[in-house]
Amino acid sequence: KEEVEAAGAAAQEFGVPLLTLTRHEGVARDRAEVVRFGLTRRMEAEVLADHAVLGLGLGRIAILYPKDEYGREFEALLWQAIEARGGRVVSVSGYEPTATDFAAPIRRLLGPQAASAPADTEPLGDPAATASPGGPPPLIDFDAIFIPDAHDKVAPIALQLASSQVSGVKLLGPSGWHHPD
């Protein structure tokens, strides 16, 4: 990010056109000489929200995100985009980027939720809401789960969602899901 900002400032100063392949929105702001090509996280969140809320009619959304800069930013952007389209974020949970066990974050998605605004803190959930084998199914009060992470995290998360008896919901994610694997 620092490199593209420096190049943008230099291009503007010397009046040299610069075409950048970056997701960073600010690089072209107030710089007539700089043209940014690249899908920003905000743009991607808005397209995802359009698809889920307006296209598929999914009004109750959960977000399961990695607790890193990318995940926190995407969580906030998705939240804003979903609500701007009339949807509602009913549950949010984060996990450590290096996690391989997603049972606890999934438990936080389930059960009664009181989500009211995006924040860095996790909303309260019912940790006992995940069904135990042979027990009653968990309370799933959402139509879809956004998982703003890469393809290599989605498969283990999907497996753990299934083992937690989470079914009947759409799994949605960003362009990082597109991969031959």
Side-chain angles (χ1 to χ4, degrees), residues 19-106:
L19 304 177
T20 63
L21 300 173
T22 183
R23 292 178 172 248
H24 300 289
E25 294 182 48
V27 70
R29 192 171 297 129
D30 300 324
R31 292 179 177 153
E33 300 297 330
V34 179
V35 178
R36 180 190 51 77
F37 293 96
L39 185 63
T40 66
R41 291 177 188 159
R42 178 178 312 283
M43 292 166 62
E44 195 163 5
E46 289 175 359
V47 168
L48 286 166
D50 280 345
H51 176 67
V53 178
L54 304 177
L56 299 175
L58 306 171
R60 299 167 304 144
I61 310 292
I63 302 173
L64 182 61
Y65 69 97
K67 293 180 182 179
D68 57 13
E69 182 269 331
Y70 174 83
R72 289 181 196 280
E73 181 181 5
F74 226 122
E75 179 262 339
L77 291 169
L78 282 168
W79 197 316
Q80 294 165 4
I82 290 163
E83 289 192 344
R85 285 148 182 82
R88 191 168 139 237
V89 175
V90 297
S91 186
V92 177
S93 183
Y95 55 86
E96 293 304 318
T98 58
T100 57
D101 181 358
F102 304 96
I106 290 169

Side-chain angles (χ1 to χ4, degrees), residues 47 58 79 85 98 110 114 116-117 120 122 137-138 169-170 178:
V47 168
L58 306 171
W79 197 316
R85 285 148 182 82
T98 58
L110 304 174
S116 60
D120 283 340
E122 311 244 343
V169 299
K170 299 272 186 201
H178 298 288

Side-chain angles (χ1 to χ4, degrees), residues 10 23 52 91 124 137 154 174 177:
R23 292 178 172 248
S91 186
L124 298 176
V154 177
W177 283 26

